[in-house]
Amino acid sequence: MNKTSEKSFLPLDILSFQDESKAVVDFISDYYKNIEKYPVQSIVDPGYLSSKLPDSAPCTPDSLEDVLNDVNQHILPGLTHWQSPNFFAYYQASSSTAGFLGEMLCSAFNVVGFNWISSPAATELESVVVDWMGKMLKLPSSFLFSGTGGGVIHGTTCEAVVCTLAAARDKALKELDSNWANITKFVVYASDQTHFTFQKAAKLVGIPPSNFRFLQTSFATEFAMSPEVLRSAIKDDIRSGLVPLYICATVGTTACGAVDPIADLGKIANEYKLWLHIDAAHAGNACICPEFRHFLDGVELASSLSMNPHKWFLTNMDCCCLWLKEPRFLIDSLSSNPEYLENNASKSNVVVDYKDWQVTLSRRFRALKLWIVIRRIGVENLMHHIRSDVNLAKQFEALIKEDDRFEIVVPRRIALVLFRLKPEQGLDGSELNRKLLDAINYSGRAFMTQGTVSGIYAIRCVVGATLTEERHMNDLWSLIQEKAQLVLFQCSQ
Ligand SMILES: *Cc1c(COP(=O)(O)O)cnc(C)c1O
Protein backbone atom coordinates (compact mmCIF):
# COMPACT_ATOMS: atom_id res chain seq x y z
CA MET A 1 0.00 0.00 0.00
CA ASN A 2 1.23 3.47 -0.78
CA LYS A 3 2.18 4.92 2.57
CA THR A 4 1.35 8.52 1.75
CA SER A 5 -2.14 7.65 0.55
CA GLU A 6 -3.06 6.88 4.16
CA LYS A 7 -2.22 10.38 5.21
CA SER A 8 -4.33 13.42 4.75
CA PHE A 9 -1.29 15.60 4.25
CA LEU A 10 2.18 15.30 2.71
CA PRO A 11 4.86 16.19 5.21
CA LEU A 12 7.57 16.12 2.59
CA ASP A 13 5.88 17.22 -0.60
CA ILE A 14 8.64 18.31 -2.88
CA LEU A 15 6.26 20.06 -5.31
CA SER A 16 4.75 22.39 -2.73
CA PHE A 17 8.27 22.78 -1.32
CA GLN A 18 9.35 24.51 -4.51
CA ASP A 19 6.65 27.15 -4.15
CA GLU A 20 6.82 27.48 -0.40
CA SER A 21 10.56 27.75 -0.27
CA LYS A 22 10.39 30.47 -2.89
CA ALA A 23 7.91 32.34 -0.71
CA VAL A 24 10.26 32.04 2.26
CA VAL A 25 13.24 33.17 0.20
CA ASP A 26 11.22 36.20 -0.94
CA PHE A 27 10.34 36.88 2.67
CA ILE A 28 14.02 36.71 3.64
CA SER A 29 14.99 39.02 0.78
CA ASP A 30 12.41 41.58 1.87
CA TYR A 31 13.64 41.29 5.43
CA TYR A 32 17.18 42.09 4.38
CA LYS A 33 16.08 44.91 2.05
CA ASN A 34 14.30 46.54 4.98
CA ILE A 35 16.65 45.57 7.77
CA GLU A 36 17.85 49.11 8.44
CA LYS A 37 14.27 50.25 9.08
CA TYR A 38 13.82 48.13 12.20
CA PRO A 39 14.96 49.29 15.64
CA VAL A 40 18.17 47.31 16.08
CA GLN A 41 17.51 46.25 19.64
CA SER A 42 14.01 45.01 20.29
CA ILE A 43 12.10 47.19 22.74
CA VAL A 44 9.20 44.86 23.55
CA ASP A 45 8.22 44.21 27.16
CA PRO A 46 8.77 40.80 28.75
CA GLY A 47 5.85 38.49 27.98
CA TYR A 48 4.79 40.55 24.96
CA LEU A 49 4.23 37.51 22.78
CA SER A 50 1.90 35.20 24.65
CA SER A 51 -1.05 37.58 24.45
CA LYS A 52 -0.66 37.78 20.68
CA LEU A 53 -0.72 34.06 19.97
CA PRO A 54 -3.38 31.39 20.53
CA ASP A 55 -2.80 29.55 23.78
CA SER A 56 -2.76 26.10 22.20
CA ALA A 57 -1.50 24.49 19.02
CA PRO A 58 -3.65 24.39 15.85
CA CYS A 59 -5.40 21.06 15.14
CA THR A 60 -5.32 21.54 11.38
CA PRO A 61 -2.60 23.09 9.19
CA ASP A 62 -2.23 26.84 8.99
CA SER A 63 -1.32 28.29 5.62
CA LEU A 64 2.25 29.41 5.04
CA GLU A 65 0.88 32.84 4.25
CA ASP A 66 -0.73 33.07 7.69
CA VAL A 67 2.45 31.89 9.34
CA LEU A 68 4.61 34.41 7.52
CA ASN A 69 2.13 37.17 8.35
CA ASP A 70 2.46 36.27 12.01
CA VAL A 71 6.23 36.27 11.75
CA ASN A 72 5.99 39.76 10.32
CA GLN A 73 3.52 41.06 12.86
CA HIS A 74 4.51 39.31 16.05
CA ILE A 75 8.00 37.88 15.74
CA LEU A 76 9.90 40.68 13.98
CA PRO A 77 9.10 43.28 16.67
CA GLY A 78 10.56 40.93 19.28
CA LEU A 79 13.79 40.39 17.36
CA THR A 80 17.01 42.16 18.03
CA HIS A 81 18.37 42.43 14.52
CA TRP A 82 21.74 40.77 14.70
CA GLN A 83 22.19 41.10 10.96
CA SER A 84 21.53 44.84 10.94
CA PRO A 85 24.51 46.90 9.73
CA ASN A 86 23.93 49.03 12.84
CA PHE A 87 24.54 46.12 15.21
CA PHE A 88 27.76 46.74 17.14
CA ALA A 89 26.98 44.74 20.29
CA TYR A 90 28.52 41.62 21.90
CA TYR A 91 30.44 39.87 19.14
CA GLN A 92 28.46 39.53 15.93
CA ALA A 93 27.03 36.38 14.40
CA SER A 94 27.83 37.15 10.79
CA SER A 95 25.78 35.60 8.03
CA SER A 96 26.22 35.35 4.27
CA THR A 97 24.29 33.97 1.33
CA ALA A 98 26.86 31.18 1.11
CA GLY A 99 26.13 30.44 4.77
CA PHE A 100 22.38 30.33 4.10
CA LEU A 101 22.86 27.95 1.18
CA GLY A 102 25.09 25.75 3.26
CA GLU A 103 22.48 25.61 6.01
CA MET A 104 19.83 24.72 3.42
CA LEU A 105 21.82 21.77 2.16
CA CYS A 106 22.67 20.69 5.69
CA SER A 107 18.99 20.76 6.51
CA ALA A 108 18.04 19.07 3.25
CA PHE A 109 20.19 16.00 3.77
CA ASN A 110 19.47 16.06 7.51
CA VAL A 111 22.01 13.34 8.19
CA VAL A 112 23.12 12.59 11.74
CA GLY A 113 26.76 11.69 11.30
CA PHE A 114 27.62 10.52 14.80
CA ASN A 115 30.03 7.91 13.49
CA TRP A 116 31.74 7.41 10.18
CA ILE A 117 29.39 4.70 8.88
CA SER A 118 26.30 6.77 9.69
CA SER A 119 27.35 9.15 6.90
CA PRO A 120 30.94 8.85 5.71
CA ALA A 121 30.89 12.14 3.78
CA ALA A 122 29.79 14.10 6.85
CA THR A 123 32.76 12.86 8.83
CA GLU A 124 35.30 13.04 6.05
CA LEU A 125 34.28 16.51 4.90
CA GLU A 126 34.54 17.74 8.49
CA SER A 127 38.09 16.39 8.75
CA VAL A 128 39.00 18.06 5.45
CA VAL A 129 37.44 21.41 6.39
CA VAL A 130 38.99 21.64 9.87
CA ASP A 131 42.36 21.00 8.21
CA TRP A 132 41.62 23.75 5.67
CA MET A 133 40.75 26.12 8.48
CA GLY A 134 43.81 25.05 10.45
CA LYS A 135 46.03 25.78 7.47
CA MET A 136 44.38 29.16 6.94
CA LEU A 137 45.35 29.92 10.55
CA LYS A 138 48.86 28.54 9.93
CA LEU A 139 48.45 26.08 12.78
CA PRO A 140 51.39 23.71 13.17
CA SER A 141 50.86 20.26 11.63
CA SER A 142 50.63 18.86 15.16
CA PHE A 143 47.01 20.13 15.18
CA LEU A 144 46.01 18.82 11.76
CA PHE A 145 44.79 15.45 10.53
CA SER A 146 47.39 15.75 7.78
CA GLY A 147 49.92 15.94 10.63
CA THR A 148 49.58 14.27 14.01
CA GLY A 149 46.51 16.01 15.49
CA GLY A 150 42.96 16.65 14.40
CA GLY A 151 39.87 18.78 14.75
CA VAL A 152 36.12 18.76 15.11
CA ILE A 153 33.25 21.18 14.61
CA HIS A 154 31.17 21.85 17.71
CA GLY A 155 28.20 24.16 18.01
CA THR A 156 29.82 26.59 20.42
CA THR A 157 32.96 27.44 22.36
CA CYS A 158 31.27 26.38 25.57
CA GLU A 159 31.13 22.80 24.29
CA ALA A 160 34.77 22.93 23.18
CA VAL A 161 35.84 24.08 26.63
CA VAL A 162 33.76 21.44 28.44
CA CYS A 163 35.17 18.67 26.25
CA THR A 164 38.81 19.72 26.55
CA LEU A 165 38.44 20.12 30.31
CA ALA A 166 37.00 16.61 30.52
CA ALA A 167 39.90 15.30 28.43
CA ALA A 168 42.46 17.05 30.65
CA ARG A 169 40.70 15.82 33.80
CA ASP A 170 40.59 12.18 32.69
CA LYS A 171 44.17 12.23 31.45
CA ALA A 172 45.33 13.56 34.82
CA LEU A 173 43.11 11.14 36.77
CA LYS A 174 44.68 8.25 34.91
CA GLU A 175 48.11 9.51 35.87
CA LEU A 176 46.91 9.53 39.48
CA ASP A 177 45.85 5.84 39.42
CA SER A 178 42.31 6.72 38.34
CA ASN A 179 41.37 7.59 41.89
CA TRP A 180 38.41 9.91 41.40
CA ALA A 181 38.91 11.37 44.86
CA ASN A 182 41.77 13.31 43.27
CA ILE A 183 39.31 15.46 41.34
CA THR A 184 39.07 17.68 44.40
CA LYS A 185 42.77 18.52 43.97
CA PHE A 186 42.57 19.77 40.39
CA VAL A 187 43.08 23.48 39.86
CA VAL A 188 42.17 25.44 36.72
CA TYR A 189 43.51 28.85 35.71
CA ALA A 190 42.23 31.71 33.63
CA SER A 191 42.35 35.48 33.82
CA ASP A 192 39.63 37.57 35.39
CA GLN A 193 38.72 38.60 31.81
CA THR A 194 38.02 35.05 30.66
CA HIS A 195 34.57 34.32 29.27
CA PHE A 196 32.10 32.90 31.81
CA THR A 197 31.90 29.85 29.59
CA PHE A 198 35.06 28.64 31.28
CA GLN A 199 33.62 28.79 34.77
CA LYS A 200 30.48 27.00 33.65
CA ALA A 201 32.51 24.29 31.93
CA ALA A 202 34.83 23.78 34.91
CA LYS A 203 31.80 23.35 37.18
CA LEU A 204 30.24 20.89 34.75
CA VAL A 205 33.30 18.64 34.74
CA GLY A 206 33.40 18.61 38.55
CA ILE A 207 36.30 20.90 39.39
CA PRO A 208 35.60 22.36 42.85
CA PRO A 209 34.83 26.08 42.50
CA SER A 210 37.30 26.78 45.29
CA ASN A 211 39.97 25.57 42.83
CA PHE A 212 39.15 28.07 40.09
CA ARG A 213 41.89 30.68 39.85
CA PHE A 214 40.85 33.89 38.10
CA LEU A 215 44.16 35.69 37.85
CA GLN A 216 43.97 39.41 38.21
CA THR A 217 44.68 41.58 35.18
CA SER A 218 45.14 45.33 34.96
CA PHE A 219 45.72 48.34 32.74
CA ALA A 220 49.47 47.62 32.99
CA THR A 221 49.14 44.57 30.69
CA GLU A 222 46.10 45.86 28.81
CA PHE A 223 44.18 43.14 30.64
CA ALA A 224 46.24 40.23 29.36
CA MET A 225 47.07 37.40 31.75
CA SER A 226 50.45 37.84 33.40
CA PRO A 227 52.79 34.82 33.10
CA GLU A 228 54.44 35.76 36.41
CA VAL A 229 51.12 35.81 38.23
CA LEU A 230 50.25 32.45 36.66
CA ARG A 231 53.54 30.88 37.62
CA SER A 232 53.32 32.01 41.21
CA ALA A 233 49.70 30.78 41.50
CA ILE A 234 50.74 27.37 40.17
CA LYS A 235 53.64 27.20 42.63
CA ASP A 236 51.37 28.14 45.54
CA ASP A 237 48.89 25.45 44.58
CA ILE A 238 51.55 22.77 44.27
CA ARG A 239 52.90 23.77 47.68
CA SER A 240 49.39 23.32 49.08
CA GLY A 241 49.24 19.78 47.73
CA LEU A 242 46.91 20.63 44.84
CA VAL A 243 47.28 19.50 41.22
CA PRO A 244 47.38 22.25 38.55
CA LEU A 245 45.36 20.93 35.60
CA TYR A 246 44.30 23.38 32.92
CA ILE A 247 44.87 26.93 31.72
CA CYS A 248 42.32 28.69 29.56
CA ALA A 249 44.04 31.49 27.63
CA THR A 250 42.03 33.93 25.56
CA VAL A 251 42.89 35.60 22.27
CA GLY A 252 40.43 38.49 22.18
CA THR A 253 38.54 38.72 25.48
CA THR A 254 34.93 39.75 25.54
CA ALA A 255 34.98 42.92 27.61
CA CYS A 256 37.98 44.63 26.04
CA GLY A 257 39.61 42.37 23.42
CA ALA A 258 42.71 41.54 25.48
CA VAL A 259 45.13 38.95 24.11
CA ASP A 260 46.88 36.62 26.54
CA PRO A 261 50.59 35.99 25.80
CA ILE A 262 50.30 32.47 24.39
CA ALA A 263 54.00 31.69 24.05
CA ASP A 264 54.84 32.63 27.64
CA LEU A 265 51.81 30.81 29.03
CA GLY A 266 52.64 27.81 26.84
CA LYS A 267 56.12 27.53 28.33
CA ILE A 268 54.68 27.47 31.83
CA ALA A 269 52.03 24.94 30.82
CA ASN A 270 54.68 22.62 29.43
CA GLU A 271 57.00 23.07 32.38
CA TYR A 272 54.28 22.10 34.87
CA LYS A 273 52.46 19.73 32.50
CA LEU A 274 49.14 21.56 32.35
CA TRP A 275 46.66 21.44 29.51
CA LEU A 276 46.66 24.82 27.76
CA HIS A 277 43.53 25.67 25.82
CA ILE A 278 43.33 28.78 23.65
CA ASP A 279 39.88 30.35 23.37
CA ALA A 280 40.06 32.48 20.23
CA ALA A 281 36.30 32.51 19.65
CA HIS A 282 36.17 35.92 17.98
CA ALA A 283 39.72 37.13 17.33
CA GLY A 284 40.78 33.74 15.97
CA ASN A 285 38.88 34.63 12.81
CA ALA A 286 41.22 37.57 12.21
CA CYS A 287 44.27 35.31 12.51
CA ILE A 288 43.84 34.15 8.90
CA CYS A 289 45.34 37.55 8.01
CA PRO A 290 49.16 37.49 8.30
CA GLU A 291 49.16 40.82 10.14
CA PHE A 292 47.11 39.34 13.00
CA ARG A 293 48.59 35.85 13.05
CA HIS A 294 51.15 36.88 15.70
CA PHE A 295 48.36 36.74 18.29
CA LEU A 296 48.64 32.95 17.98
CA ASP A 297 52.44 32.83 18.23
CA GLY A 298 53.29 30.02 20.61
CA VAL A 299 50.20 27.99 19.66
CA GLU A 300 52.51 25.00 19.11
CA LEU A 301 52.87 24.87 22.91
CA ALA A 302 49.10 24.58 23.49
CA SER A 303 47.07 21.39 23.78
CA SER A 304 43.97 22.73 22.06
CA LEU A 305 42.54 25.78 20.32
CA SER A 306 39.00 26.80 19.45
CA MET A 307 37.46 29.59 17.38
CA ASN A 308 33.95 30.38 16.15
CA PRO A 309 33.50 30.86 12.40
CA HIS A 310 29.91 31.79 13.28
CA LYS A 311 31.17 35.02 14.79
CA TRP A 312 33.17 36.73 12.08
CA PHE A 313 33.61 34.28 9.26
CA LEU A 314 30.32 34.79 7.43
CA THR A 315 29.21 31.34 8.56
CA ASN A 316 25.65 31.33 9.85
CA MET A 317 25.08 29.91 13.35
CA ASP A 318 26.34 27.61 14.61
CA CYS A 319 29.96 26.60 14.06
CA CYS A 320 32.93 26.31 16.41
CA CYS A 321 36.18 24.70 15.26
CA LEU A 322 38.24 22.87 17.87
CA TRP A 323 41.71 21.49 17.16
CA LEU A 324 43.66 19.16 19.41
CA LYS A 325 47.23 18.09 19.41
CA GLU A 326 46.35 14.72 20.92
CA PRO A 327 42.73 13.90 20.07
CA ARG A 328 43.13 10.51 21.79
CA PHE A 329 42.75 12.20 25.17
CA LEU A 330 39.42 13.64 24.08
CA ILE A 331 38.34 10.28 22.70
CA ASP A 332 39.49 8.42 25.84
CA SER A 333 37.32 10.73 27.86
CA LEU A 334 34.20 10.91 25.69
CA SER A 335 33.92 7.64 23.79
CA SER A 336 31.33 5.01 24.46
CA ASN A 337 30.52 2.09 22.23
CA PRO A 338 27.05 0.70 22.77
CA GLU A 339 26.25 -2.53 20.97
CA TYR A 340 23.62 -0.93 18.70
CA LEU A 341 26.27 1.30 17.10
CA GLU A 342 28.74 -1.51 16.53
CA ASN A 343 30.16 -1.59 12.98
CA ASN A 344 33.23 -2.82 11.16
CA ALA A 345 34.53 0.61 10.24
CA SER A 346 34.73 1.68 13.89
CA LYS A 347 36.34 -1.61 14.88
CA SER A 348 39.01 -1.14 12.24
CA ASN A 349 40.18 2.02 14.03
CA VAL A 350 40.93 3.77 10.76
CA VAL A 351 37.92 6.09 10.83
CA VAL A 352 36.95 9.09 12.93
CA ASP A 353 33.75 8.64 14.94
CA TYR A 354 32.86 12.20 15.89
CA LYS A 355 30.45 11.11 18.62
CA ASP A 356 33.64 10.51 20.64
CA TRP A 357 34.80 14.11 20.17
CA GLN A 358 31.80 15.89 21.66
CA VAL A 359 29.10 15.85 24.34
CA THR A 360 26.15 14.76 22.23
CA LEU A 361 25.58 11.74 20.04
CA SER A 362 23.58 13.42 17.27
CA ARG A 363 25.25 16.14 15.29
CA ARG A 364 24.52 18.44 12.38
CA PHE A 365 26.44 18.43 9.10
CA ARG A 366 28.02 21.80 9.86
CA ALA A 367 31.09 21.03 7.80
CA LEU A 368 29.02 21.33 4.63
CA LYS A 369 28.14 24.90 5.53
CA LEU A 370 31.68 25.95 6.40
CA TRP A 371 33.01 24.24 3.27
CA ILE A 372 30.51 26.09 1.09
CA VAL A 373 31.32 29.42 2.77
CA ILE A 374 35.06 28.98 2.24
CA ARG A 375 34.63 27.79 -1.35
CA ARG A 376 32.10 30.41 -2.41
CA ILE A 377 33.86 33.33 -0.75
CA GLY A 378 37.48 32.29 -0.98
CA VAL A 379 40.32 33.00 1.42
CA GLU A 380 41.25 36.32 -0.19
CA ASN A 381 37.76 37.74 0.23
CA LEU A 382 37.53 36.40 3.75
CA MET A 383 40.72 38.28 4.61
CA HIS A 384 39.39 41.36 2.89
CA HIS A 385 36.19 41.11 4.92
CA ILE A 386 38.13 41.00 8.20
CA ARG A 387 40.45 43.81 7.15
CA SER A 388 37.70 46.15 6.09
CA ASP A 389 35.97 45.71 9.46
CA VAL A 390 39.25 46.36 11.27
CA ASN A 391 39.79 49.50 9.20
CA LEU A 392 36.32 50.75 10.07
CA ALA A 393 37.08 50.12 13.74
CA LYS A 394 40.36 51.98 13.38
CA GLN A 395 38.65 55.00 11.79
CA PHE A 396 36.00 54.95 14.48
CA GLU A 397 38.66 54.87 17.19
CA ALA A 398 40.31 57.90 15.56
CA LEU A 399 37.02 59.84 15.67
CA ILE A 400 36.65 59.12 19.39
CA LYS A 401 40.21 60.23 20.04
CA GLU A 402 39.64 63.53 18.25
CA ASP A 403 36.73 64.46 20.51
CA ASP A 404 38.08 65.40 23.93
CA ARG A 405 34.77 64.73 25.68
CA PHE A 406 35.56 61.04 25.08
CA GLU A 407 38.40 58.66 25.83
CA ILE A 408 39.52 55.24 24.69
CA VAL A 409 39.51 53.02 27.78
CA VAL A 410 41.71 50.17 26.51
CA PRO A 411 43.63 50.47 23.23
CA ARG A 412 41.99 48.64 20.31
CA ARG A 413 43.63 45.36 19.36
CA ILE A 414 41.43 44.30 16.45
CA ALA A 415 37.81 45.33 15.86
CA LEU A 416 36.61 46.20 19.35
CA VAL A 417 36.69 49.85 20.42
CA LEU A 418 36.17 50.36 24.15
CA PHE A 419 35.41 53.98 24.94
CA ARG A 420 33.53 56.24 27.31
CA LEU A 421 32.55 59.79 28.00
CA LYS A 422 35.09 61.18 30.43
CA PRO A 423 33.58 61.77 33.85
CA GLU A 424 33.28 65.51 34.26
CA GLN A 425 32.69 67.96 37.09
CA GLY A 426 31.93 65.36 39.70
CA LEU A 427 29.60 63.39 37.43
CA ASP A 428 29.77 59.64 37.97
CA GLY A 429 31.42 58.04 34.94
CA SER A 430 29.42 54.83 35.12
CA GLU A 431 26.10 56.59 35.39
CA LEU A 432 26.97 58.98 32.60
CA ASN A 433 27.98 56.23 30.21
CA ARG A 434 25.12 53.96 31.17
CA LYS A 435 22.75 56.81 30.31
CA LEU A 436 24.56 57.43 27.06
CA LEU A 437 24.40 53.77 26.06
CA ASP A 438 20.72 53.54 26.98
CA ALA A 439 19.94 56.64 24.94
CA ILE A 440 21.77 55.27 21.91
CA ASN A 441 20.17 51.84 22.09
CA TYR A 442 16.72 53.19 22.86
CA SER A 443 16.85 55.28 19.68
CA GLY A 444 16.77 52.02 17.71
CA ARG A 445 19.35 53.44 15.32
CA ALA A 446 22.26 51.37 16.62
CA PHE A 447 22.95 48.81 19.28
CA MET A 448 26.09 48.50 21.42
CA THR A 449 26.77 46.82 24.77
CA GLN A 450 29.01 47.60 27.72
CA GLY A 451 32.23 46.23 29.17
CA THR A 452 33.69 46.88 32.60
CA VAL A 453 37.43 46.74 33.25
CA SER A 454 39.03 47.50 36.63
CA GLY A 455 35.68 48.88 37.73
CA ILE A 456 35.44 51.27 34.81
CA TYR A 457 32.19 51.03 32.90
CA ALA A 458 32.74 51.59 29.19
CA ILE A 459 30.90 51.21 25.91
CA ARG A 460 31.93 48.44 23.51
CA CYS A 461 31.69 49.06 19.79
CA VAL A 462 32.49 45.94 17.77
CA VAL A 463 32.59 46.20 13.98
CA GLY A 464 31.69 42.90 12.36
CA ALA A 465 28.13 42.76 11.04
CA THR A 466 28.24 41.57 7.44
CA LEU A 467 26.42 44.61 6.05
CA THR A 468 28.22 47.37 7.97
CA GLU A 469 29.81 50.03 5.75
CA GLU A 470 31.52 53.34 6.33
CA ARG A 471 28.22 55.25 6.22
CA HIS A 472 26.91 53.20 9.15
CA MET A 473 29.98 54.09 11.17
CA ASN A 474 29.47 57.76 10.37
CA ASP A 475 25.82 57.52 11.36
CA LEU A 476 26.87 55.81 14.57
CA TRP A 477 29.31 58.57 15.38
CA SER A 478 26.67 61.25 14.75
CA LEU A 479 24.25 59.37 16.95
CA ILE A 480 26.80 59.06 19.76
CA GLN A 481 27.62 62.77 19.61
CA GLU A 482 23.96 63.76 19.56
CA LYS A 483 23.12 61.60 22.58
CA ALA A 484 26.31 62.58 24.41
CA GLN A 485 25.34 66.24 24.16
CA LEU A 486 21.90 65.44 25.51
CA VAL A 487 23.14 63.27 28.37
CA LEU A 488 25.85 65.76 29.36
CA PHE A 489 23.26 68.52 29.36
CA GLN A 490 20.79 66.49 31.45
CA CYS A 491 23.45 65.46 33.94
CA SER A 492 24.72 68.99 34.39
CA GLN A 493 21.22 70.27 35.31
C1 LIG B 1 31.76 34.46 22.14
C2 LIG B 1 32.81 33.97 23.04
C3 LIG B 1 32.62 32.81 23.82
C4 LIG B 1 31.32 32.06 23.85
O1 LIG B 1 31.14 31.42 22.66
P1 LIG B 1 29.94 30.38 22.46
O2 LIG B 1 30.26 29.80 21.14
O3 LIG B 1 28.69 31.17 22.46
O4 LIG B 1 30.00 29.38 23.57
C5 LIG B 1 33.66 32.38 24.59
N1 LIG B 1 34.83 33.04 24.63
C6 LIG B 1 35.04 34.16 23.92
C7 LIG B 1 36.36 34.85 24.00
C8 LIG B 1 34.03 34.65 23.09
O5 LIG B 1 34.25 35.76 22.35
Side-chain angles (χ1 to χ4, degrees):
M1 191 190 292
N2 181 348
K3 184 174 166 224
T4 52
S5 69
E6 295 169 18
K7 296 195 179 180
S8 57
F9 78 115
L10 299 172
L12 222 170
D13 173 7
I14 213 62
L15 291 176
S16 66
F17 173 72
Q18 287 187 337
D19 292 336
E20 296 202 339
S21 59
K22 184 162 185 313
V24 173
V25 169
D26 289 346
F27 181 90
I28 295 170
S29 306
D30 286 342
Y31 172 68
Y32 273 87
K33 280 179 200 153
N34 291 314
I35 197 160
E36 292 184 41
K37 294 184 189 147
Y38 303 110
V40 187
Q41 185 186 29
S42 174
I43 50 165
V44 296
D45 291 322
Y48 88 99
L49 190 56
S50 64
S51 66
K52 300 192 189 305
L53 299 182
D55 57 13
S56 58
C59 282
T60 53
D62 285 336
S63 72
L64 179 64
E65 196 185 346
D66 283 351
V67 174
L68 289 180
N69 279 339
D70 283 349
V71 172
N72 238 336
Q73 267 191 34
H74 303 312
I75 304 298
L76 285 192
L79 289 183
T80 289
H81 298 280
W82 281 69
Q83 303 313 316
S84 164
N86 298 312
F87 184 101
F88 303 98
Y90 315 113
Y91 281 130
Q92 283 82 359
S94 61
S95 67
S96 65
T97 43
F100 280 127
L101 300 178
E103 273 287 302
M104 274 176 81
L105 280 178
C106 169
S107 201
F109 298 135
N110 208 29
V111 298
V112 185
F114 38 69
N115 57 14
W116 180 85
I117 195 66
S118 71
S119 221
T123 296
E124 296 200 9
L125 186 63
E126 186 157 328
S127 301
V128 168
V129 171
V130 289
D131 261 23
W132 276 16
M133 277 297 298
K135 286 177 187 168
M136 288 159 73
L137 292 169
K138 302 260 184 308
L139 296 186
S141 64
S142 53
F143 284 98
L144 307 180
F145 282 110
S146 56
T148 51
V152 57
I153 302 181
H154 285 177
T156 67
T157 296
C158 192
E159 294 167 62
V161 176
V162 170
C163 291
T164 54
L165 268 163
R169 176 199 63 194
D170 293 349
K171 172 177 180 275
L173 277 172
K174 223 177 194 172
E175 287 160 8
L176 297 169
D177 303 323
S178 298
N179 178 357
W180 275 76
N182 284 314
I183 198 171
T184 57
K185 294 188 186 160
F186 291 149
V187 189
V188 297
Y189 305 82
S191 88
D192 56 6
Q193 298 296 313
T194 304
H195 198 278
F196 73 83
T197 269
F198 171 69
Q199 194 167 344
K200 189 190 257 192
K203 248 163 66 185
L204 278 171
V205 304
I207 309 294
S210 55
N211 292 1
F212 299 176
R213 304 283 177 263
F214 296 110
L215 308 174
Q216 200 178 359
T217 60
S218 70
F219 278 102
T221 58
E222 292 178 2
F223 297 93
M225 199 192 304
S226 148
E228 293 75 35
V229 172
L230 173 67
R231 182 185 291 277
S232 97
I234 290 176
K235 281 184 172 166
D236 284 352
D237 287 323
I238 293 175
R239 235 178 275 128
S240 312
L242 298 174
V243 181
L245 181 74
Y246 183 104
I247 306 164
C248 182
T250 308
V251 172
T253 61
T254 314
C256 69
V259 177
D260 291 336
I262 302 303
D264 292 341
L265 302 180
K267 281 177 207 145
I268 298 173
N270 286 3
E271 188 180 332
Y272 293 96
K273 305 214 163 4
L274 278 79
W275 186 293
L276 172 63
H277 178 74
I278 303 173
D279 170 6
H282 179 259
N285 291 277
C287 296
I288 63 160
C289 301
E291 67 272 31
F292 301 119
R293 172 57 177 75
H294 65 94
F295 291 131
L296 292 181
D297 284 357
V299 59
E300 66 280 1
L301 301 171
S303 308
S304 52
L305 163 76
S306 57
M307 57 83 84
N308 287 0
H310 73 230
K311 280 194 169 161
W312 203 4
F313 222 65
L314 303 171
T315 306
N316 299 36
M317 281 280 290
D318 53 358
C319 188
C320 168
C321 294
L322 165 68
W323 294 268
L324 300 115
K325 216 187 253 172
E326 292 177 283
R328 70 190 163 102
F329 292 124
L330 191 69
I331 296 166
D332 283 350
S333 182
L334 304 178
S335 72
S336 57
N337 292 297
E339 181 276 327
Y340 52 84
L341 293 183
E342 207 178 282
N343 67 90
N344 289 334
S346 296
K347 277 192 207 151
S348 72
N349 278 329
V350 295
V351 297
V352 170
D353 285 341
Y354 273 127
K355 71 176 173 45
D356 301 334
W357 296 56
Q358 62 179 24
V359 172
T360 58
L361 172 68
S362 300
R363 61 202 320 273
R364 307 176 67 235
F365 192 177
R366 299 185 185 98
L368 189 60
K369 168 176 60 184
L370 184 55
W371 184 60
I372 290 174
V373 167
I374 297 171
R375 289 191 60 189
R376 289 286 296 128
I377 297 175
V379 180
E380 252 180 46
N381 282 328
L382 284 165
M383 285 190 198
H384 175 77
H385 161 69
I386 300 278
R387 284 177 177 142
S388 70
D389 285 348
V390 175
N391 281 334
L392 292 177
K394 206 183 269 179
Q395 289 166 21
F396 179 74
E397 185 188 37
L399 290 173
I400 304 264
K401 282 180 176 166
E402 277 167 24
D403 187 328
D404 44 334
R405 293 172 300 173
F406 290 91
E407 66 185 0
I408 298 292
V409 177
V410 178
R412 179 189 57 81
R413 302 304 292 260
I414 305 180
L416 162 60
V417 180
L418 191 72
F419 68 99
R420 66 168 186 165
L421 268 175
K422 290 178 196 162
E424 275 186 79
Q425 302 142 16
L427 296 178
D428 175 62
S430 298
E431 196 190 325
L432 196 62
N433 283 285
R434 210 170 266 132
K435 281 193 169 141
L436 173 60
L437 183 59
D438 283 349
I440 291 164
N441 292 343
Y442 196 72
S443 77
R445 288 153 58 193
F447 178 37
M448 294 182 290
T449 45
Q450 71 286 347
T452 298
V453 286
S454 278
I456 293 179
Y457 178 98
I459 300 175
R460 294 168 76 257
C461 172
V462 184
V463 185
T466 309
L467 298 172
T468 303
E469 297 170 15
E470 196 165 345
R471 67 186 167 92
H472 303 105
M473 300 308 299
N474 293 336
D475 290 349
L476 175 66
W477 180 230
S478 306
L479 173 65
I480 292 170
Q481 288 179 306
E482 174 192 320
K483 298 298 177 191
Q485 202 164 3
L486 194 74
V487 167
L488 283 169
F489 177 74
Q490 285 168 348
C491 287
S492 64
Q493 293 297 293

